[in-house]
Amino acid sequence: MNVLTGSADNSCRLWDCETGKQLALLNTNSAVRTCGFDFSGNIIMFSTDKQMGYQCYLNFFDLRDPQQIEDNQPYLSIPCNDAKITSAVWGPLGEFVNAGHENGEINQFSAKSGEILKKAKEHSRQINDIQTSVDLTMFISASKDNTAKLFDSTSLEHIKTFKTERPVNSAAISPIMDHVVMGGGQEAMEVTTTSTRIGKFEARFFHAAYEEEFGRVKGHFGPINCVAFHPDGKSYSSGGEDGYVRIHYFDPQYFDFELEA
Amino acid sequence: MKKAKQYLEGCWHAYFGFENTKVKVMLPLYFLVCLFFVCVFVFAELLLDILREKPQEADGIDSVVVVDNVPQVGPERLEKLKNVIHKIFSKFGKITTEFYPEADGMTKGYIFLEYAAPTQALEAVKNADGYKLDKQHTFRVNLFTDFDKYMTISDEWETPEKQPFKDFGNMRHWIEDPDCRDQYSVIYEAGERTAIFSNDAKEPITAEERARWTETYVRWSPKGTYLATFHQRGIALWGGEKFKQIQRFSHQGVSLIDFSPCERYVVTFSPLMDTKEDPQAIIIWDILTGQKKRGFHCESSAHWPIFKWSHDGKFFARMTQDTLSIYETPSMGLLDKKSLKISGIKDFSWSPGDNIIAFWVPEDKDIPARVTLMQLPSRQEIRVRNLFNVVDCKLHWQRNGDYLCVKVDRTPKGTQGVVTNFEIFRMREKQVPVDVVEMKDSIIAFAWEPNGSKFAVLHGESPRINASFYHVKNNGKIELIKMFDKQQANSIFWSPQGQFMVLAGLRSMNGALAFVDTSDCTMMNIAEHYMASDVEWDPTGRYVVTSVSWWSHKVDNAYWLWTFQGRLLQKNNKDRFCQLLWRPRPPTLLSTDQIKMIKKDLKKYSKIFEQKDRLSQSKASKELVDKRRAMMEEYRRYRETAQQIYQEQKSIRLELRGGVDTDELDSNVDDWEEETIEFFINEEIIPLGDL
């Protein structure tokens, strides 16, 4: 069982989950923004930022070929000339990667040839985060344009939109209910007067089919940067700019709740 | 007919007969003949054109205008006069010749101007006739040919031709909404889009929406008939059901406007257009005809509106150093042809109910400061009130003109601090008695109940701000009804119908709101619209809008709709929302008796309204339920298809994970072994003592 991490220290590392031992070190020319294993666990991908004269690249390594790791030579390296990749996830069967860009575009890159299989231009501003559903058939993209959108992983068909008044930093799909959770807020340096009230930054729950908000959880006093559901769907956690990670377990009413229809 | 036809046919056959020889000869001949005729035709046309341009005596005269009442000047000021005339008259076209007849070394007082075309001369007559150059000289402009025309006028009367009627439709269309929805204008996207909505409790209904309708902001006319938009070249007025352009006023760089209460005139101000000879900083326009009535100088626009209108639009006045100038309409001339000399005048204002002006003058050596009420047009002083040790005064009229409150800041003899008194003038009582209310703290805000006899005061200093309510009673007393302390408020907003009001802490006070019923001075609701910058009541007093304008705060720009009791109905987020203005209503057409009858039968009407409301509510929830059902069905269908594909791909997934089935969410509980382990932590020996 392995863990893959990418960092702004210009490296991507592979670890053994049980022992914590570092298994591989891949140096890069610029910061690593996003990374992930495909469904089989044999192929890894990560993207590097456009920095210090270096382009943004989407790199693919096959772990079954140790030579690639030793030589630090990906079998496929896709350059991104325009807007850099900000977040990316694998498709359901490891044949492609869905990547979100700084300009709001989502491109589907083939993991074999590197060509762009499909495009989606639904967001108007930067994509902050992409997370898949538990069965990998769909994913949700969180964007600076104050919305989060649900897409089909394979066709990149735009299915739903969830609107808020603040930039959305992260969004996740519940594994057991038709719910999505979103977290966001204005960055401290972009706003002249932030709310002085404690706990103004909230995690917001939307019904996936009706696109309507049905609940909010207060508590963070800084913008929320990341949200995730527990794999069993009975709790969720959120991490924020305030330096806190909050874990909430849902009470029974959450599972019984239904909007009138 | 038949014979003619036969004849023509015969000719046809003669000339275009199918015999070859004839055709060979006839066709080219025919062609030559045609060519000849064409040439003659063209030549004739050219000739006519040239003939047309031949200078004719009649042409020249058609482009000449005669201007009378021109100042008579000597040679040293002639050049300046010519410049002024040129500036005014070159607006209508190109002046090709000008002639200033003289006698005894001075100009005669009338001049001739020739334009490049007769249409330009007509423009000059239309717009410059009646132009007031200064107090003694109002231009009379006529076409030179008119003199001829009028001299040879026939004795027979001919009815003049009717001008085609420009129909803008029903200008009061919005009032006829069967559900009595009021309209309001919204500027958003930082000024790029302006929209007009009809206010419905459920959600706003768009009536009109345009991009770049205005360049800065908009204003409604006092009775709601027109919407004024601002542009670099002037303002435009829009109205009617489809908001067509009614009128346009050209005033380069206009920045501020003001309407007369009767909606007959509009005053525009532009800091750019002002010269000594031709005052154009402030222009007064007639709205219906589009005519420029008069131009004025303006030193500074710090206290707009510079011209204050009387309530019926009969007079307008402005204050300059030691002078009060009152003008009358429609002549636009000074009342009694002179301004009033009031030494030291600091401020004035019209009563909103009568043609009375209130003004105040500060202390002057031995003469105390005083407030004077003057009746117009008689200029009779109906009341004078002396005040002592005055630092400053502010005039607050009650909306019907029933009361005037003068807020007087004084420094009493022997003290350093400033105290405030409210001098309440009872306008409807004989000889206008004055009552005084003394206030201990500094005053933050003051407001009269619009059509009643109460007023509200915010006083004190943050955080101990108090809201006090007073009632001006008939028996000569002014009673303090109630005082709320420790309020978060810096502004007072009364409902236009009276009785209800909102105390708001805007901007720096983070949008604290308190909804008050002043009939028994209770707080109906306390709420908050974080960072609210504006509060606007609708003209009927049923709804309140609080808003966060992009002009004062760059995030969370939205406007919220509340009932008069403080119940939140809607939150409308608009990208870079800037301004919301309710459309004013014209005064009611019902008589007081009719209103009394309606109030008596209110129970009957309210039953009908409640039924209507319930129906629309259930319709709304039914619509919502239907919408949700449709969305869920669509979503289910998508998920089913996705699930199907997922199942079909199972074999691929098995292969990718080396034959291990990981599709189930829970890890295989059967693989788990539970073991309970005990291990030693600590030992503690506690002596129990002798039992």
Side-chain angles (χ1 to χ4, degrees):
Chain A
M1 198 108 60
N2 298 333
V3 176
L4 183 69
T5 60
S7 158
D9 66 2
N10 296 4
S11 72
C12 185
R13 295 170 201 244
L14 194 63
W15 314 77
D16 182 309
C17 190
E18 262 178 288
T19 63
K21 180 162 166 256
Q22 182 181 299
L23 300 174
L25 163 61
L26 298 163
N27 283 308
T28 58
N29 293 321
S30 49
V32 177
R33 179 58 57 175
T34 186
C35 60
F37 285 98
D38 79 326
F39 186 79
S40 67
N42 295 322
I43 307 186
I44 58 170
M45 68 88 183
F46 58 87
S47 81
T48 55
D49 269 358
K50 188 173 181 179
Q51 258 176 3
M52 300 180 296
Y54 291 104
Q55 280 274 35
C56 156
Y57 284 96
L58 186 59
N59 297 319
F60 292 82
F61 285 80
D62 192 329
L63 295 176
R64 297 167 292 194
D65 178 7
Q67 200 63 36
Q68 285 179 28
I69 311 287
E70 244 183 78
D71 301 340
N72 198 354
Q73 274 291 29
Y75 76 82
L76 177 62
S77 183
I78 310 169
C80 290
N81 300 322
D82 310 303
K84 72 168 194 225
I85 292 175
T86 47
S87 185
V89 290
W90 279 94
L93 300 171
E95 338 86 296
F96 49 75
V97 166
N98 289 317
H101 294 257
E102 213 177 16
N103 60 1
E105 273 182 26
I106 297 177
N107 290 317
Q108 193 179 83
F109 294 96
S110 160
K112 307 242 168 27
S113 63
E115 63 179 334
I116 296 179
L117 303 168
K118 288 203 178 61
K119 278 178 176 278
K121 268 184 180 224
E122 298 286 338
H123 283 291
S124 53
R125 298 184 78 185
Q126 172 171 314
I127 304 233
N128 286 330
D129 185 28
I130 297 183
Q131 288 192 38
T132 56
S133 65
V134 72
D135 60 3
L136 302 181
T137 54
M138 41 183 199
F139 66 85
I140 188 166
S141 57
S143 166
K144 212 168 167 184
D145 68 0
N146 302 357
T147 67
K149 287 177 193 277
L150 202 60
F151 292 87
D152 179 271
S153 298
T154 313
S155 66
L156 277 200
E157 186 194 330
H158 167 218
I159 304 170
K160 296 284 174 190
T161 301
F162 309 100
K163 291 201 181 105
T164 68
E165 325 83 48
R166 294 284 181 90
V168 187
N169 291 339
S170 179
I173 308 173
S174 168
I176 55 171
M177 310 280 292
D178 289 327
H179 298 160
V180 299
V181 65
M182 292 155 57
Q186 203 80 4
E187 277 177 49
M189 59 186 184
E190 283 183 342
V191 152
T192 48
T193 52
T194 39
S195 170
T196 48
R197 291 188 304 167
I198 300 170
K200 173 94 171 122
F201 297 90
E202 295 149 334
R204 302 160 76 145
F205 286 83
F206 281 72
H207 196 284
Y210 306 140
E211 296 176 339
E212 285 175 45
E213 186 179 342
F214 65 86
R216 291 196 196 187
V217 180
K218 288 196 224 191
H220 280 288
F221 44 90
I224 295 174
N225 287 330
C226 195
V227 292
F229 276 100
H230 188 284
D232 66 13
K234 299 188 183 159
S235 64
Y236 85 99
S237 49
S238 56
E241 197 72 29
D242 54 6
Y244 282 83
V245 175
R246 299 174 70 89
I247 304 173
H248 289 273
Y249 287 85
F250 299 118
D251 46 10
Q253 284 93 321
Y254 168 81
F255 302 100
D256 297 331
F257 176 76
E258 260 186 46
L259 282 171
E260 193 183 314
Chain B
M1 262 315 269
K2 241 191 178 158
K3 272 216 167 136
K5 203 171 166 206
Q6 276 175 345
Y7 173 70
L8 282 170
E9 273 184 36
C11 287
W12 178 267
H13 277 295
Y15 285 108
F16 297 98
F18 291 111
E19 298 162 51
N20 271 336
T21 45
K22 262 206 176 157
V23 170
K24 269 196 199 151
V25 172
M26 286 285 114
L27 259 159
L29 199 63
Y30 184 72
F31 177 70
L32 281 169
V33 167
C34 284
L35 194 64
F36 175 71
F37 276 116
V38 168
C39 285
V40 168
F41 209 70
V42 170
F43 183 66
E45 273 277 13
L46 285 170
L47 204 65
L48 275 171
D49 265 344
I50 294 169
L51 285 174
R52 244 177 252 143
E53 279 174 22
K54 174 181 166 193
Q56 290 175 11
E57 208 184 65
D59 266 340
I61 293 182
D62 276 342
S63 316
V64 176
V65 297
V66 186
V67 187
D68 279 284
N69 298 339
V70 177
Q72 295 174 284
V73 299
E76 70 286 352
R77 286 170 60 204
L78 183 61
E79 197 62 41
K80 189 172 176 207
L81 176 66
K82 282 194 177 172
N83 281 337
V84 173
I85 296 291
H86 208 267
K87 192 151 190 208
I88 299 171
F89 284 91
S90 53
K91 282 196 205 113
F92 313 113
K94 188 164 151 47
I95 299 175
T96 53
T97 335
E98 50 186 29
F99 177 48
Y100 289 72
E102 287 180 20
D104 303 325
M106 301 271 279
T107 57
K108 274 193 173 176
Y110 55 87
I111 63 169
F112 299 86
L113 298 171
E114 182 182 352
Y115 283 99
T119 44
Q120 296 170 7
L122 277 168
E123 273 294 305
V125 172
K126 197 169 112 175
N127 288 298
D129 186 37
Y131 185 87
K132 252 191 178 145
L133 180 68
D134 57 34
K135 254 189 257 201
Q136 284 93 23
H137 299 96
T138 303
F139 289 154
R140 300 315 317 262
V141 186
N142 291 292
L143 283 177
F144 187 65
T145 46
D146 277 351
F147 282 94
D148 213 23
K149 186 168 88 178
Y150 291 129
M151 296 227 277
T152 59
I153 216 166
S154 78
D155 289 329
E156 298 273 338
W157 161 251
E158 267 174 51
T159 344
E161 224 188 278
K162 255 190 165 171
Q163 289 264 344
F165 174 58
K166 271 207 217 140
D167 191 0
F168 294 112
N170 182 2
M171 298 290 280
R172 295 269 172 90
H173 180 267
W174 91 98
I175 292 292
E176 289 179 8
D177 179 55
D179 289 316
C180 295
R181 297 194 192 97
D182 284 287
Q183 289 188 341
Y184 53 84
S185 65
V186 176
I187 299 180
Y188 58 106
E189 283 184 28
E192 282 294 311
R193 293 200 86 85
T194 306
I196 312 286
F197 292 101
S198 281
N199 177 38
D200 188 281
K202 268 192 271 105
E203 62 170 21
I205 300 167
T206 311
E208 189 71 40
E209 196 183 322
R210 293 186 196 164
R212 300 240 93 215
W213 199 345
T214 181
E215 282 174 37
T216 47
Y217 57 104
V218 298
R219 279 266 102 90
W220 291 103
S221 63
K223 294 192 197 164
T225 316
Y226 309 103
L227 178 74
T229 56
F230 285 72
H231 311 275
Q232 181 57 22
R233 277 187 281 157
I235 62 162
L237 293 185
W238 311 77
E241 185 186 341
K242 301 262 180 256
F243 289 97
K244 288 204 205 117
Q245 193 180 85
I246 310 289
Q247 198 64 265
R248 225 187 358 201
F249 302 101
S250 155
H251 197 178
Q252 193 78 10
V254 64
S255 57
L256 296 165
I257 66 167
D258 187 35
F259 283 91
S260 74
C262 48
E263 287 189 345
R264 254 202 88 179
Y265 304 101
V266 65
V267 186
T268 56
F269 166 75
S270 164
L272 304 177
M273 311 273 291
D274 207 14
T275 56
K276 272 209 153 42
E277 300 92 16
D278 189 18
Q280 292 288 299
I282 298 181
I283 304 181
I284 303 186
W285 308 82
D286 182 316
I287 290 180
L288 287 174
T289 63
Q291 258 189 332
K292 188 189 295 197
K293 296 297 271 184
R294 187 156 173 182
F296 292 93
H297 271 307
C298 181
E299 277 79 44
S300 96
S301 66
H303 299 286
W304 186 260
I306 307 282
F307 283 102
K308 298 187 189 177
W309 292 84
S310 69
H311 73 107
D312 54 5
K314 279 220 192 94
F315 306 101
F316 57 97
R318 81 150 147 188
M319 184 183 81
T320 42
Q321 184 84 325
D322 297 333
T323 314
L324 183 64
S325 308
I326 305 168
Y327 301 82
E328 52 184 357
T329 62
S331 68
M332 305 289 163
L334 275 171
L335 178 67
D336 298 335
K337 300 242 189 311
K338 59 179 165 59
S339 301
L340 289 169
K341 283 265 169 283
I342 303 173
S343 177
I345 180 172
K346 286 285 249 170
D347 193 19
F348 81 101
S349 73
W350 288 92
S351 158
D354 312 277
N355 284 345
I356 297 174
I357 285 188
F359 61 87
W360 76 277
V361 179
E363 225 167 272
D364 181 24
K365 293 189 271 276
D366 295 332
I367 311 170
R370 58 188 191 289
V371 173
T372 311
L373 296 174
M374 180 186 282
Q375 176 84 47
L376 285 155
S378 63
R379 288 201 267 122
Q380 185 200 7
E381 290 186 358
I382 56 177
R383 189 71 163 88
V384 179
R385 173 94 169 156
N386 288 330
L387 303 162
F388 301 89
N389 310 113
V390 171
V391 173
D392 192 22
C393 284
K394 279 216 168 34
L395 307 169
H396 298 276
W397 284 96
Q398 188 254 21
R399 200 189 63 192
N400 295 351
D402 295 335
Y403 305 99
L404 166 69
C405 168
V406 183
K407 170 175 164 279
V408 184
D409 295 325
R410 324 169 37 231
T411 307
K413 266 214 173 73
T415 63
Q416 293 278 6
V418 178
V419 294
T420 309
N421 282 355
F422 290 120
E423 311 263 327
I424 312 286
F425 290 63
R426 294 167 183 272
M427 301 299 296
R428 304 291 170 215
E429 291 177 37
K430 251 206 233 148
Q431 278 158 3
V432 188
V434 183
D435 295 313
V436 186
V437 177
E438 276 181 27
M439 300 298 295
K440 304 281 182 318
D441 316 304
S442 55
I443 308 297
I444 298 172
F446 172 95
W448 279 106
E449 184 183 13
N451 51 2
S453 39
K454 297 199 205 87
F455 61 86
V457 189
L458 285 174
H459 54 106
E461 288 193 26
S462 187
R464 314 198 71 85
I465 297 176
N466 306 308
S468 298
F469 296 86
Y470 291 84
H471 185 195
V472 182
K473 295 176 105 110
N474 286 337
N475 56 6
K477 288 213 190 30
I478 299 181
E479 183 195 326
L480 168 65
I481 317 171
K482 184 95 191 221
M483 184 175 89
F484 295 106
D485 62 351
K486 294 209 213 57
Q487 293 298 301
Q488 279 270 68
N490 54 20
S491 326
I492 305 172
F493 297 96
W494 281 96
S495 156
Q497 304 295 329
Q499 193 184 340
F500 300 100
M501 57 121 72
V502 176
L503 294 171
L506 298 178
R507 288 174 287 271
S508 54
M509 286 199 187
N510 296 350
L513 302 166
F515 292 79
V516 183
D517 178 351
T518 59
S519 61
D520 52 3
C521 277
T522 48
M523 289 266 174
M524 295 182 290
N525 192 23
I526 299 187
E528 188 193 69
H529 183 176
Y530 188 63
M531 295 315 287
S533 56
D534 299 283
V535 174
E536 298 280 343
W537 280 90
D538 82 320
T540 61
R542 290 177 293 172
Y543 301 100
V544 185
V545 164
T546 57
S547 57
V548 179
S549 167
W550 187 75
W551 290 332
S552 67
H553 197 59
K554 300 298 179 200
V555 264
D556 287 337
N557 304 117
Y559 66 92
W560 292 5
L561 186 75
W562 311 72
T563 65
F564 66 97
Q565 291 166 318
R567 186 162 62 97
L568 184 59
L569 293 172
Q570 298 168 12
K571 286 191 191 181
N572 294 305
N573 291 305
K574 279 255 172 306
D575 181 25
R576 286 164 294 160
F577 163 85
C578 291
Q579 179 198 54
L580 183 149
L581 285 177
W582 287 96
R583 185 171 195 173
R585 280 181 176 235
T588 180
L589 295 172
L590 298 170
S591 67
T592 20
D593 286 333
Q594 283 173 309
I595 296 177
K596 270 210 190 97
M597 285 293 295
I598 295 174
K599 282 198 175 155
K600 256 202 336 189
D601 292 334
L602 204 56
K603 273 208 182 61
K604 177 174 80 184
Y605 292 115
S606 59
K607 272 211 186 70
I608 303 172
F609 292 142
E610 258 163 44
Q611 209 182 24
K612 217 173 169 197
D613 279 342
R614 251 179 280 137
L615 234 107
S616 90
Q617 272 283 52
S618 60
K619 180 164 166 260
S621 33
K622 183 170 179 298
E623 272 174 18
L624 184 62
V625 163
D626 286 339
K627 178 169 149 224
R628 284 196 190 143
R629 214 166 272 165
M631 288 179 96
M632 181 56 103
E633 258 180 52
E634 201 189 323
Y635 187 66
R636 282 269 155 271
R637 261 182 279 137
Y638 162 69
R639 289 306 297 157
E640 266 171 39
T641 331
Q643 283 290 37
Q644 236 184 333
I645 301 174
Y646 184 73
Q647 291 304 332
E648 285 164 15
Q649 292 172 337
K650 190 170 176 98
S651 53
I652 309 176
R653 279 198 298 280
L654 279 176
E655 201 190 310
L656 284 171
R657 289 211 168 152
V660 181
D661 187 355
T662 55
D663 282 357
E664 292 310 296
L665 200 58
D666 295 325
S667 21
N668 291 343
V669 191
D670 298 334
D671 287 347
W672 290 14
E673 256 180 54
E674 212 172 294
E675 228 179 278
T676 318
I677 308 174
E678 262 181 35
F679 48 92
F680 181 73
I681 301 175
N682 187 21
E683 188 187 338
E684 208 176 311
I685 302 173
I686 308 164
L688 285 172
D690 289 32
L691 288 161

